[in-house]
PDB file of all heavy atoms in Angstrom:
ATOM      1  N   ASN A 286      39.806 -18.131  77.017  1.00  0.00           N
ATOM      2  CA  ASN A 286      38.451 -17.680  76.742  1.00  0.00           C
ATOM      3  C   ASN A 286      37.607 -17.609  77.973  1.00  0.00           C
ATOM      4  O   ASN A 286      36.802 -16.699  78.173  1.00  0.00           O
ATOM      5  CB  ASN A 286      37.821 -18.596  75.689  1.00  0.00           C
ATOM      6  CG  ASN A 286      38.381 -18.383  74.290  1.00  0.00           C
ATOM      7  OD1 ASN A 286      38.938 -17.319  73.991  1.00  0.00           O
ATOM      8  ND2 ASN A 286      38.274 -19.350  73.438  1.00  0.00           N
ATOM      9  N   GLU A 287      37.812 -18.673  78.840  1.00  0.00           N
ATOM     10  CA  GLU A 287      37.050 -18.684  80.086  1.00  0.00           C
ATOM     11  C   GLU A 287      37.507 -17.534  81.005  1.00  0.00           C
ATOM     12  O   GLU A 287      36.682 -16.922  81.655  1.00  0.00           O
ATOM     13  CB  GLU A 287      37.270 -20.021  80.774  1.00  0.00           C
ATOM     14  CG  GLU A 287      36.564 -20.228  82.125  1.00  0.00           C
ATOM     15  CD  GLU A 287      35.050 -20.174  81.996  1.00  0.00           C
ATOM     16  OE1 GLU A 287      34.503 -20.210  80.873  1.00  0.00           O
ATOM     17  OE2 GLU A 287      34.351 -20.085  83.050  1.00  0.00           O
ATOM     18  N   GLN A 288      38.807 -17.280  80.988  1.00  0.00           N
ATOM     19  CA  GLN A 288      39.295 -16.144  81.802  1.00  0.00           C
ATOM     20  C   GLN A 288      38.716 -14.792  81.311  1.00  0.00           C
ATOM     21  O   GLN A 288      38.374 -13.945  82.133  1.00  0.00           O
ATOM     22  CB  GLN A 288      40.837 -16.089  81.754  1.00  0.00           C
ATOM     23  CG  GLN A 288      41.466 -17.184  82.552  1.00  0.00           C
ATOM     24  CD  GLN A 288      42.985 -17.233  82.353  1.00  0.00           C
ATOM     25  OE1 GLN A 288      43.536 -16.776  81.335  1.00  0.00           O
ATOM     26  NE2 GLN A 288      43.701 -17.825  83.266  1.00  0.00           N
ATOM     27  N   LYS A 289      38.589 -14.649  79.992  1.00  0.00           N
ATOM     28  CA  LYS A 289      38.024 -13.431  79.408  1.00  0.00           C
ATOM     29  C   LYS A 289      36.599 -13.321  79.811  1.00  0.00           C
ATOM     30  O   LYS A 289      36.062 -12.229  80.119  1.00  0.00           O
ATOM     31  CB  LYS A 289      38.149 -13.459  77.872  1.00  0.00           C
ATOM     32  CG  LYS A 289      39.579 -13.193  77.358  1.00  0.00           C
ATOM     33  CD  LYS A 289      39.619 -13.283  75.829  1.00  0.00           C
ATOM     34  CE  LYS A 289      41.064 -13.113  75.324  1.00  0.00           C
ATOM     35  NZ  LYS A 289      41.089 -13.241  73.866  1.00  0.00           N
ATOM     36  N   ARG A 290      35.849 -14.465  79.762  1.00  0.00           N
ATOM     37  CA  ARG A 290      34.444 -14.466  80.134  1.00  0.00           C
ATOM     38  C   ARG A 290      34.278 -14.042  81.617  1.00  0.00           C
ATOM     39  O   ARG A 290      33.416 -13.226  81.928  1.00  0.00           O
ATOM     40  CB  ARG A 290      33.842 -15.818  79.853  1.00  0.00           C
ATOM     41  CG  ARG A 290      32.313 -15.854  80.069  1.00  0.00           C
ATOM     42  CD  ARG A 290      31.732 -17.296  80.167  1.00  0.00           C
ATOM     43  NE  ARG A 290      32.210 -17.951  81.392  1.00  0.00           N
ATOM     44  CZ  ARG A 290      31.768 -17.730  82.628  1.00  0.00           C
ATOM     45  NH1 ARG A 290      30.814 -16.822  82.754  1.00  0.00           N
ATOM     46  NH2 ARG A 290      32.243 -18.389  83.623  1.00  0.00           N
ATOM     47  N   ILE A 291      35.097 -14.663  82.463  1.00  0.00           N
ATOM     48  CA  ILE A 291      35.030 -14.377  83.871  1.00  0.00           C
ATOM     49  C   ILE A 291      35.337 -12.879  84.143  1.00  0.00           C
ATOM     50  O   ILE A 291      34.706 -12.198  84.949  1.00  0.00           O
ATOM     51  CB  ILE A 291      35.971 -15.264  84.709  1.00  0.00           C
ATOM     52  CG1 ILE A 291      35.433 -16.727  84.597  1.00  0.00           C
ATOM     53  CG2 ILE A 291      36.129 -14.812  86.092  1.00  0.00           C
ATOM     54  CD1 ILE A 291      36.437 -17.756  85.176  1.00  0.00           C
ATOM     55  N   HIS A 292      36.374 -12.437  83.411  1.00  0.00           N
ATOM     56  CA  HIS A 292      36.810 -11.015  83.555  1.00  0.00           C
ATOM     57  C   HIS A 292      35.661 -10.068  83.150  1.00  0.00           C
ATOM     58  O   HIS A 292      35.335  -9.121  83.851  1.00  0.00           O
ATOM     59  CB  HIS A 292      38.038 -10.698  82.698  1.00  0.00           C
ATOM     60  CG  HIS A 292      38.529  -9.309  82.804  1.00  0.00           C
ATOM     61  ND1 HIS A 292      38.998  -8.745  83.916  1.00  0.00           N
ATOM     62  CD2 HIS A 292      38.534  -8.299  81.850  1.00  0.00           C
ATOM     63  CE1 HIS A 292      39.353  -7.494  83.713  1.00  0.00           C
ATOM     64  NE2 HIS A 292      39.069  -7.215  82.458  1.00  0.00           N
ATOM     65  N   ALA A 293      35.017 -10.357  82.042  1.00  0.00           N
ATOM     66  CA  ALA A 293      33.896  -9.577  81.551  1.00  0.00           C
ATOM     67  C   ALA A 293      32.745  -9.610  82.524  1.00  0.00           C
ATOM     68  O   ALA A 293      32.058  -8.624  82.816  1.00  0.00           O
ATOM     69  CB  ALA A 293      33.458 -10.030  80.153  1.00  0.00           C
ATOM     70  N   GLU A 294      32.499 -10.818  83.113  1.00  0.00           N
ATOM     71  CA  GLU A 294      31.434 -11.004  84.079  1.00  0.00           C
ATOM     72  C   GLU A 294      31.678 -10.177  85.373  1.00  0.00           C
ATOM     73  O   GLU A 294      30.823  -9.576  85.948  1.00  0.00           O
ATOM     74  CB  GLU A 294      31.229 -12.431  84.401  1.00  0.00           C
ATOM     75  CG  GLU A 294      30.139 -12.757  85.387  1.00  0.00           C
ATOM     76  CD  GLU A 294      28.725 -12.426  84.950  1.00  0.00           C
ATOM     77  OE1 GLU A 294      28.511 -12.102  83.748  1.00  0.00           O
ATOM     78  OE2 GLU A 294      27.814 -12.470  85.757  1.00  0.00           O
ATOM     79  N   ASN A 295      32.999 -10.219  85.746  1.00  0.00           N
ATOM     80  CA  ASN A 295      33.341  -9.478  86.964  1.00  0.00           C
ATOM     81  C   ASN A 295      33.187  -7.959  86.776  1.00  0.00           C
ATOM     82  O   ASN A 295      32.705  -7.259  87.661  1.00  0.00           O
ATOM     83  CB  ASN A 295      34.838  -9.722  87.281  1.00  0.00           C
ATOM     84  CG  ASN A 295      35.029 -11.106  87.973  1.00  0.00           C
ATOM     85  OD1 ASN A 295      34.090 -11.655  88.490  1.00  0.00           O
ATOM     86  ND2 ASN A 295      36.314 -11.632  87.884  1.00  0.00           N
ATOM     87  N   ILE A 296      33.562  -7.503  85.577  1.00  0.00           N
ATOM     88  CA  ILE A 296      33.313  -6.075  85.226  1.00  0.00           C
ATOM     89  C   ILE A 296      31.846  -5.753  85.281  1.00  0.00           C
ATOM     90  O   ILE A 296      31.426  -4.681  85.823  1.00  0.00           O
ATOM     91  CB  ILE A 296      33.911  -5.688  83.873  1.00  0.00           C
ATOM     92  CG1 ILE A 296      35.452  -5.786  83.920  1.00  0.00           C
ATOM     93  CG2 ILE A 296      33.485  -4.369  83.411  1.00  0.00           C
ATOM     94  CD1 ILE A 296      36.133  -5.630  82.602  1.00  0.00           C
ATOM     95  N   ARG A 297      31.030  -6.665  84.705  1.00  0.00           N
ATOM     96  CA  ARG A 297      29.606  -6.415  84.720  1.00  0.00           C
ATOM     97  C   ARG A 297      29.010  -6.401  86.106  1.00  0.00           C
ATOM     98  O   ARG A 297      28.222  -5.494  86.456  1.00  0.00           O
ATOM     99  CB  ARG A 297      28.885  -7.532  83.931  1.00  0.00           C
ATOM    100  CG  ARG A 297      27.387  -7.337  83.748  1.00  0.00           C
ATOM    101  CD  ARG A 297      26.700  -8.496  83.126  1.00  0.00           C
ATOM    102  NE  ARG A 297      26.663  -9.633  84.103  1.00  0.00           N
ATOM    103  CZ  ARG A 297      25.827  -9.720  85.107  1.00  0.00           C
ATOM    104  NH1 ARG A 297      24.924  -8.761  85.335  1.00  0.00           N
ATOM    105  NH2 ARG A 297      25.834 -10.743  85.885  1.00  0.00           N
ATOM    106  N   LEU A 298      29.447  -7.325  86.919  1.00  0.00           N
ATOM    107  CA  LEU A 298      28.956  -7.332  88.334  1.00  0.00           C
ATOM    108  C   LEU A 298      29.410  -6.136  89.119  1.00  0.00           C
ATOM    109  O   LEU A 298      28.683  -5.603  89.953  1.00  0.00           O
ATOM    110  CB  LEU A 298      29.462  -8.620  88.991  1.00  0.00           C
ATOM    111  CG  LEU A 298      28.833  -9.962  88.482  1.00  0.00           C
ATOM    112  CD1 LEU A 298      29.504 -11.161  89.088  1.00  0.00           C
ATOM    113  CD2 LEU A 298      27.327  -9.968  88.791  1.00  0.00           C
ATOM    114  N   GLN A 299      30.723  -5.706  88.874  1.00  0.00           N
ATOM    115  CA  GLN A 299      31.196  -4.507  89.552  1.00  0.00           C
ATOM    116  C   GLN A 299      30.408  -3.350  89.180  1.00  0.00           C
ATOM    117  O   GLN A 299      30.049  -2.479  90.027  1.00  0.00           O
ATOM    118  CB  GLN A 299      32.669  -4.274  89.208  1.00  0.00           C
ATOM    119  CG  GLN A 299      33.630  -5.282  89.902  1.00  0.00           C
ATOM    120  CD  GLN A 299      35.053  -5.154  89.429  1.00  0.00           C
ATOM    121  OE1 GLN A 299      35.355  -4.306  88.576  1.00  0.00           O
ATOM    122  NE2 GLN A 299      35.928  -6.000  89.914  1.00  0.00           N
ATOM    123  N   LYS A 300      30.147  -3.212  87.884  1.00  0.00           N
ATOM    124  CA  LYS A 300      29.311  -2.061  87.384  1.00  0.00           C
ATOM    125  C   LYS A 300      27.898  -2.170  87.974  1.00  0.00           C
ATOM    126  O   LYS A 300      27.358  -1.120  88.359  1.00  0.00           O
ATOM    127  CB  LYS A 300      29.244  -2.105  85.845  1.00  0.00           C
ATOM    128  CG  LYS A 300      28.594  -0.874  85.252  1.00  0.00           C
ATOM    129  CD  LYS A 300      28.720  -0.910  83.744  1.00  0.00           C
ATOM    130  CE  LYS A 300      28.053   0.385  83.131  1.00  0.00           C
ATOM    131  NZ  LYS A 300      28.134   0.399  81.691  1.00  0.00           N
ATOM    132  N   GLU A 301      27.379  -3.321  88.006  1.00  0.00           N
ATOM    133  CA  GLU A 301      26.030  -3.527  88.548  1.00  0.00           C
ATOM    134  C   GLU A 301      25.964  -3.174  90.040  1.00  0.00           C
ATOM    135  O   GLU A 301      25.031  -2.484  90.507  1.00  0.00           O
ATOM    136  CB  GLU A 301      25.572  -5.017  88.367  1.00  0.00           C
ATOM    137  CG  GLU A 301      24.158  -5.244  88.664  1.00  0.00           C
ATOM    138  CD  GLU A 301      23.771  -6.685  88.375  1.00  0.00           C
ATOM    139  OE1 GLU A 301      23.493  -7.023  87.179  1.00  0.00           O
ATOM    140  OE2 GLU A 301      23.755  -7.503  89.290  1.00  0.00           O
ATOM    141  N   ALA A 302      26.997  -3.543  90.780  1.00  0.00           N
ATOM    142  CA  ALA A 302      27.117  -3.216  92.206  1.00  0.00           C
ATOM    143  C   ALA A 302      27.202  -1.753  92.435  1.00  0.00           C
ATOM    144  O   ALA A 302      26.861  -1.278  93.508  1.00  0.00           O
ATOM    145  CB  ALA A 302      28.291  -3.939  92.846  1.00  0.00           C
ATOM    146  N   MET A 303      27.735  -1.004  91.444  1.00  0.00           N
ATOM    147  CA  MET A 303      27.907   0.464  91.612  1.00  0.00           C
ATOM    148  C   MET A 303      26.822   1.252  90.894  1.00  0.00           C
ATOM    149  O   MET A 303      26.965   2.454  90.715  1.00  0.00           O
ATOM    150  CB  MET A 303      29.245   0.833  91.004  1.00  0.00           C
ATOM    151  CG  MET A 303      30.402   0.332  91.860  1.00  0.00           C
ATOM    152  SD  MET A 303      30.510   1.023  93.500  1.00  0.00           S
ATOM    153  CE  MET A 303      31.732   0.033  94.263  1.00  0.00           C
ATOM    154  N   THR A 304      25.729   0.571  90.453  1.00  0.00           N
ATOM    155  CA  THR A 304      24.653   1.254  89.718  1.00  0.00           C
ATOM    156  C   THR A 304      23.343   1.105  90.473  1.00  0.00           C
ATOM    157  O   THR A 304      23.012  -0.032  90.899  1.00  0.00           O
ATOM    158  CB  THR A 304      24.549   0.654  88.319  1.00  0.00           C
ATOM    159  OG1 THR A 304      25.811   0.796  87.619  1.00  0.00           O
ATOM    160  CG2 THR A 304      23.485   1.373  87.516  1.00  0.00           C
ATOM    161  N   ASP A 305      22.619   2.155  90.513  1.00  0.00           N
ATOM    162  CA  ASP A 305      21.222   2.085  91.165  1.00  0.00           C
ATOM    163  C   ASP A 305      20.326   1.303  90.229  1.00  0.00           C
ATOM    164  O   ASP A 305      20.234   1.667  89.008  1.00  0.00           O
ATOM    165  CB  ASP A 305      20.728   3.507  91.359  1.00  0.00           C
ATOM    166  CG  ASP A 305      19.416   3.532  92.084  1.00  0.00           C
ATOM    167  OD1 ASP A 305      18.377   3.438  91.383  1.00  0.00           O
ATOM    168  OD2 ASP A 305      19.354   3.538  93.344  1.00  0.00           O
ATOM    169  N   SER A 306      19.685   0.309  90.718  1.00  0.00           N
ATOM    170  CA  SER A 306      18.879  -0.623  89.850  1.00  0.00           C
ATOM    171  C   SER A 306      17.666   0.073  89.277  1.00  0.00           C
ATOM    172  O   SER A 306      17.200  -0.341  88.226  1.00  0.00           O
ATOM    173  CB  SER A 306      18.494  -1.868  90.663  1.00  0.00           C
ATOM    174  OG  SER A 306      17.721  -1.490  91.744  1.00  0.00           O
ATOM    175  N   LEU A 307      17.146   1.147  89.968  1.00  0.00           N
ATOM    176  CA  LEU A 307      15.903   1.771  89.444  1.00  0.00           C
ATOM    177  C   LEU A 307      16.220   2.813  88.402  1.00  0.00           C
ATOM    178  O   LEU A 307      15.701   2.766  87.292  1.00  0.00           O
ATOM    179  CB  LEU A 307      15.157   2.433  90.586  1.00  0.00           C
ATOM    180  CG  LEU A 307      13.934   3.246  90.212  1.00  0.00           C
ATOM    181  CD1 LEU A 307      12.886   2.323  89.652  1.00  0.00           C
ATOM    182  CD2 LEU A 307      13.381   3.987  91.429  1.00  0.00           C
ATOM    183  N   VAL A 308      17.103   3.751  88.689  1.00  0.00           N
ATOM    184  CA  VAL A 308      17.324   4.893  87.804  1.00  0.00           C
ATOM    185  C   VAL A 308      18.525   4.725  86.846  1.00  0.00           C
ATOM    186  O   VAL A 308      18.741   5.550  85.942  1.00  0.00           O
ATOM    187  CB  VAL A 308      17.474   6.210  88.578  1.00  0.00           C
ATOM    188  CG1 VAL A 308      16.219   6.513  89.410  1.00  0.00           C
ATOM    189  CG2 VAL A 308      18.713   6.179  89.437  1.00  0.00           C
ATOM    190  N   LYS A 309      19.272   3.630  87.037  1.00  0.00           N
ATOM    191  CA  LYS A 309      20.433   3.259  86.160  1.00  0.00           C
ATOM    192  C   LYS A 309      21.477   4.357  86.142  1.00  0.00           C
ATOM    193  O   LYS A 309      22.091   4.669  85.130  1.00  0.00           O
ATOM    194  CB  LYS A 309      19.949   2.981  84.729  1.00  0.00           C
ATOM    195  CG  LYS A 309      18.877   1.933  84.615  1.00  0.00           C
ATOM    196  CD  LYS A 309      19.236   0.637  85.230  1.00  0.00           C
ATOM    197  CE  LYS A 309      18.146  -0.442  85.119  1.00  0.00           C
ATOM    198  NZ  LYS A 309      18.408  -1.641  85.883  1.00  0.00           N
ATOM    199  N   LEU A 310      21.669   4.985  87.335  1.00  0.00           N
ATOM    200  CA  LEU A 310      22.734   5.938  87.528  1.00  0.00           C
ATOM    201  C   LEU A 310      23.713   5.380  88.594  1.00  0.00           C
ATOM    202  O   LEU A 310      23.311   4.525  89.373  1.00  0.00           O
ATOM    203  CB  LEU A 310      22.228   7.325  88.015  1.00  0.00           C
ATOM    204  CG  LEU A 310      21.559   8.220  86.978  1.00  0.00           C
ATOM    205  CD1 LEU A 310      20.883   9.406  87.624  1.00  0.00           C
ATOM    206  CD2 LEU A 310      22.614   8.684  85.917  1.00  0.00           C
ATOM    207  N   PRO A 311      24.972   5.862  88.627  1.00  0.00           N
ATOM    208  CA  PRO A 311      25.866   5.439  89.729  1.00  0.00           C
ATOM    209  C   PRO A 311      25.194   5.630  91.098  1.00  0.00           C
ATOM    210  O   PRO A 311      24.470   6.616  91.316  1.00  0.00           O
ATOM    211  CB  PRO A 311      27.079   6.286  89.540  1.00  0.00           C
ATOM    212  CG  PRO A 311      27.065   6.661  88.106  1.00  0.00           C
ATOM    213  CD  PRO A 311      25.673   6.778  87.693  1.00  0.00           C
ATOM    214  N   ASN A 312      25.449   4.697  92.032  1.00  0.00           N
ATOM    215  CA  ASN A 312      24.876   4.806  93.360  1.00  0.00           C
ATOM    216  C   ASN A 312      25.838   5.450  94.350  1.00  0.00           C
ATOM    217  O   ASN A 312      26.879   5.987  93.968  1.00  0.00           O
ATOM    218  CB  ASN A 312      24.451   3.380  93.830  1.00  0.00           C
ATOM    219  CG  ASN A 312      25.632   2.391  93.929  1.00  0.00           C
ATOM    220  OD1 ASN A 312      26.803   2.830  93.953  1.00  0.00           O
ATOM    221  ND2 ASN A 312      25.296   1.125  93.906  1.00  0.00           N
ATOM    222  N   ARG A 313      25.478   5.355  95.614  1.00  0.00           N
ATOM    223  CA  ARG A 313      26.241   5.993  96.696  1.00  0.00           C
ATOM    224  C   ARG A 313      27.677   5.441  96.763  1.00  0.00           C
ATOM    225  O   ARG A 313      28.647   6.208  97.009  1.00  0.00           O
ATOM    226  CB  ARG A 313      25.521   5.814  97.998  1.00  0.00           C
ATOM    227  CG  ARG A 313      26.177   6.496  99.224  1.00  0.00           C
ATOM    228  CD  ARG A 313      25.890   8.020  99.185  1.00  0.00           C
ATOM    229  NE  ARG A 313      26.310   8.639 100.450  1.00  0.00           N
ATOM    230  CZ  ARG A 313      25.539   8.882 101.495  1.00  0.00           C
ATOM    231  NH1 ARG A 313      24.223   8.548 101.463  1.00  0.00           N
ATOM    232  NH2 ARG A 313      26.008   9.492 102.527  1.00  0.00           N
ATOM    233  N   GLY A 314      27.844   4.138  96.544  1.00  0.00           N
ATOM    234  CA  GLY A 314      29.167   3.533  96.560  1.00  0.00           C
ATOM    235  C   GLY A 314      30.046   4.074  95.469  1.00  0.00           C
ATOM    236  O   GLY A 314      31.224   4.360  95.646  1.00  0.00           O
ATOM    237  N   ALA A 315      29.460   4.228  94.257  1.00  0.00           N
ATOM    238  CA  ALA A 315      30.179   4.762  93.153  1.00  0.00           C
ATOM    239  C   ALA A 315      30.604   6.181  93.360  1.00  0.00           C
ATOM    240  O   ALA A 315      31.670   6.680  92.989  1.00  0.00           O
ATOM    241  CB  ALA A 315      29.398   4.600  91.828  1.00  0.00           C
ATOM    242  N   LEU A 316      29.677   6.955  94.031  1.00  0.00           N
ATOM    243  CA  LEU A 316      29.958   8.357  94.345  1.00  0.00           C
ATOM    244  C   LEU A 316      31.148   8.466  95.258  1.00  0.00           C
ATOM    245  O   LEU A 316      31.996   9.318  95.051  1.00  0.00           O
ATOM    246  CB  LEU A 316      28.677   8.991  95.018  1.00  0.00           C
ATOM    247  CG  LEU A 316      28.885  10.360  95.628  1.00  0.00           C
ATOM    248  CD1 LEU A 316      29.212  11.413  94.539  1.00  0.00           C
ATOM    249  CD2 LEU A 316      27.653  10.784  96.423  1.00  0.00           C
ATOM    250  N   ASP A 317      31.220   7.568  96.212  1.00  0.00           N
ATOM    251  CA  ASP A 317      32.280   7.578  97.156  1.00  0.00           C
ATOM    252  C   ASP A 317      33.664   7.380  96.452  1.00  0.00           C
ATOM    253  O   ASP A 317      34.639   8.082  96.724  1.00  0.00           O
ATOM    254  CB  ASP A 317      32.071   6.478  98.171  1.00  0.00           C
ATOM    255  CG  ASP A 317      33.083   6.526  99.361  1.00  0.00           C
ATOM    256  OD1 ASP A 317      33.468   7.660  99.681  1.00  0.00           O
ATOM    257  OD2 ASP A 317      33.411   5.509  99.924  1.00  0.00           O
ATOM    258  N   ILE A 318      33.673   6.424  95.524  1.00  0.00           N
ATOM    259  CA  ILE A 318      34.925   6.072  94.782  1.00  0.00           C
ATOM    260  C   ILE A 318      35.276   7.175  93.842  1.00  0.00           C
ATOM    261  O   ILE A 318      36.447   7.737  93.869  1.00  0.00           O
ATOM    262  CB  ILE A 318      34.799   4.728  94.102  1.00  0.00           C
ATOM    263  CG1 ILE A 318      34.646   3.602  95.124  1.00  0.00           C
ATOM    264  CG2 ILE A 318      36.032   4.489  93.181  1.00  0.00           C
ATOM    265  CD1 ILE A 318      34.294   2.221  94.548  1.00  0.00           C
ATOM    266  N   GLU A 319      34.354   7.497  92.932  1.00  0.00           N
ATOM    267  CA  GLU A 319      34.643   8.450  91.877  1.00  0.00           C
ATOM    268  C   GLU A 319      34.796   9.837  92.427  1.00  0.00           C
ATOM    269  O   GLU A 319      35.611  10.660  91.977  1.00  0.00           O
ATOM    270  CB  GLU A 319      33.544   8.421  90.818  1.00  0.00           C
ATOM    271  CG  GLU A 319      33.829   9.205  89.507  1.00  0.00           C
ATOM    272  CD  GLU A 319      35.008   8.634  88.790  1.00  0.00           C
ATOM    273  OE1 GLU A 319      35.312   7.384  88.910  1.00  0.00           O
ATOM    274  OE2 GLU A 319      35.697   9.414  88.038  1.00  0.00           O
ATOM    275  N   GLY A 320      34.002  10.181  93.452  1.00  0.00           N
ATOM    276  CA  GLY A 320      34.035  11.505  94.070  1.00  0.00           C
ATOM    277  C   GLY A 320      35.400  11.784  94.627  1.00  0.00           C
ATOM    278  O   GLY A 320      36.004  12.905  94.447  1.00  0.00           O
ATOM    279  N   HIS A 321      36.054  10.847  95.368  1.00  0.00           N
ATOM    280  CA  HIS A 321      37.327  11.037  95.932  1.00  0.00           C
ATOM    281  C   HIS A 321      38.399  11.202  94.874  1.00  0.00           C
ATOM    282  O   HIS A 321      39.368  11.990  95.022  1.00  0.00           O
ATOM    283  CB  HIS A 321      37.651   9.916  96.966  1.00  0.00           C
ATOM    284  CG  HIS A 321      37.039  10.064  98.257  1.00  0.00           C
ATOM    285  ND1 HIS A 321      35.813   9.461  98.544  1.00  0.00           N
ATOM    286  CD2 HIS A 321      37.352  10.810  99.365  1.00  0.00           C
ATOM    287  CE1 HIS A 321      35.476   9.759  99.791  1.00  0.00           C
ATOM    288  NE2 HIS A 321      36.346  10.672 100.318  1.00  0.00           N
ATOM    289  N   LYS A 322      38.244  10.446  93.794  1.00  0.00           N
ATOM    290  CA  LYS A 322      39.193  10.568  92.627  1.00  0.00           C
ATOM    291  C   LYS A 322      39.222  11.962  92.029  1.00  0.00           C
ATOM    292  O   LYS A 322      40.255  12.608  91.891  1.00  0.00           O
ATOM    293  CB  LYS A 322      38.883   9.584  91.543  1.00  0.00           C
ATOM    294  CG  LYS A 322      39.282   8.153  91.844  1.00  0.00           C
ATOM    295  CD  LYS A 322      38.975   7.258  90.649  1.00  0.00           C
ATOM    296  CE  LYS A 322      39.176   5.822  90.923  1.00  0.00           C
ATOM    297  NZ  LYS A 322      38.710   4.960  89.791  1.00  0.00           N
ATOM    298  N   LEU A 323      37.971  12.445  91.770  1.00  0.00           N
ATOM    299  CA  LEU A 323      37.789  13.844  91.171  1.00  0.00           C
ATOM    300  C   LEU A 323      38.246  14.902  92.141  1.00  0.00           C
ATOM    301  O   LEU A 323      38.909  15.854  91.726  1.00  0.00           O
ATOM    302  CB  LEU A 323      36.375  14.039  90.723  1.00  0.00           C
ATOM    303  CG  LEU A 323      35.877  13.245  89.487  1.00  0.00           C
ATOM    304  CD1 LEU A 323      34.439  13.413  89.307  1.00  0.00           C
ATOM    305  CD2 LEU A 323      36.673  13.705  88.257  1.00  0.00           C
ATOM    306  N   PHE A 324      37.907  14.743  93.404  1.00  0.00           N
ATOM    307  CA  PHE A 324      38.248  15.719  94.402  1.00  0.00           C
ATOM    308  C   PHE A 324      39.793  15.819  94.573  1.00  0.00           C
ATOM    309  O   PHE A 324      40.371  16.929  94.645  1.00  0.00           O
ATOM    310  CB  PHE A 324      37.654  15.423  95.784  1.00  0.00           C
ATOM    311  CG  PHE A 324      37.684  16.506  96.742  1.00  0.00           C
ATOM    312  CD1 PHE A 324      36.765  17.555  96.700  1.00  0.00           C
ATOM    313  CD2 PHE A 324      38.722  16.558  97.697  1.00  0.00           C
ATOM    314  CE1 PHE A 324      36.817  18.635  97.631  1.00  0.00           C
ATOM    315  CE2 PHE A 324      38.770  17.634  98.639  1.00  0.00           C
ATOM    316  CZ  PHE A 324      37.852  18.626  98.547  1.00  0.00           C
TER     317      PHE A 324
END
């Protein structure tokens, strides 16, 4: 259960790190990752 909680928290933090705090859209870092995948 603790591992699941930590995993969920890590996902949340990763998403937060890749999201612009003001407009709630992906930020430049997320663009770099997702952009290269799509390209």
